[in-house]
Amino acid sequence: MENAGASGPGPVPEGVVPCSWIQRFILEKLGGEASPESVRRHLEPFTCSTKGITAAGSIILWAFPYRGQPAPAFVYEGGRTGFALREPPDVRPFNPNNILASNHHLVYGFDPSRPGYSLGKPVSFSSRWRYETGMNTLEAWSRQGKLLGLADAKRLLQQAAHGTTEYSVIFLANERRIFIAVDDLKTDLWDAPYLKWADFRFDALFER
């Protein structure tokens, strides 16, 4: 799952590969046994002329079936000049089973002494608010020892929506199922996570 990052306007580097192509390549090559280390190795050959991977700035959530590995989900944060892979213990919520992403970096290009900035630029209120509401909800559920399910994932996405959410995705990695809700994209407000969810088999997306 990819979100736009905060690199902003700038010169176009040479050798940039669309991040959707990179993601598909890694999914095809690594499958469910992927780890932060193996994903990093497969990302590095796509380095562009300015040492970044996704030059426009991207935040990519990677999630794989859980088989007892330390990091079944992690986040790529990158821009024109580099990238970092963020794992659950790196930032709040400090729970090995939870990780979040919105539209700003929390490791790469992030200075803890200036938490309102990412890559040297102010983080939008929208991105900070969406991260905070998700983080606080997950931390509260963790304190209560709540086991999360599909209904909780939908609720979390609904809480973070504010009228500009054109689509929402839930990936049940161990079940190899993907749930997608899409708004009609008319010229009004978009509330995708409150609408009908379609259920797809993960493997069906790669069938010819």
Side-chain angles (χ1 to χ4, degrees), residues 142-164:
S142 294
R143 290 192 294 270
Q144 302 302 315
K146 181 178 176 63
L147 296 177
L148 305 185
L150 180 60
D152 302 302
K154 291 179 179 180
R155 176 183 171 187
L156 196 64
L157 290 169
Q158 289 169 352
Q159 287 182 197
H162 54 67
T164 59

Side-chain angles (χ1 to χ4, degrees), residues 2 4 26 32-33 38 62 78 101-102 107 112 137-138 141 146 151 155 161 164 166 172 181 188 195 198 203 207-208:
E2 192 265 346
I26 292 174
E33 303 302 323
S38 63
W62 299 89
S102 55
V107 173
T137 299
L138 285 173
W141 285 344
K146 181 178 176 63
R155 176 183 171 187
T164 59
E166 65 268 38
L172 302 184
D188 54 12
L195 303 179
D203 299 288
E207 293 176 352
R208 293 178 181 267

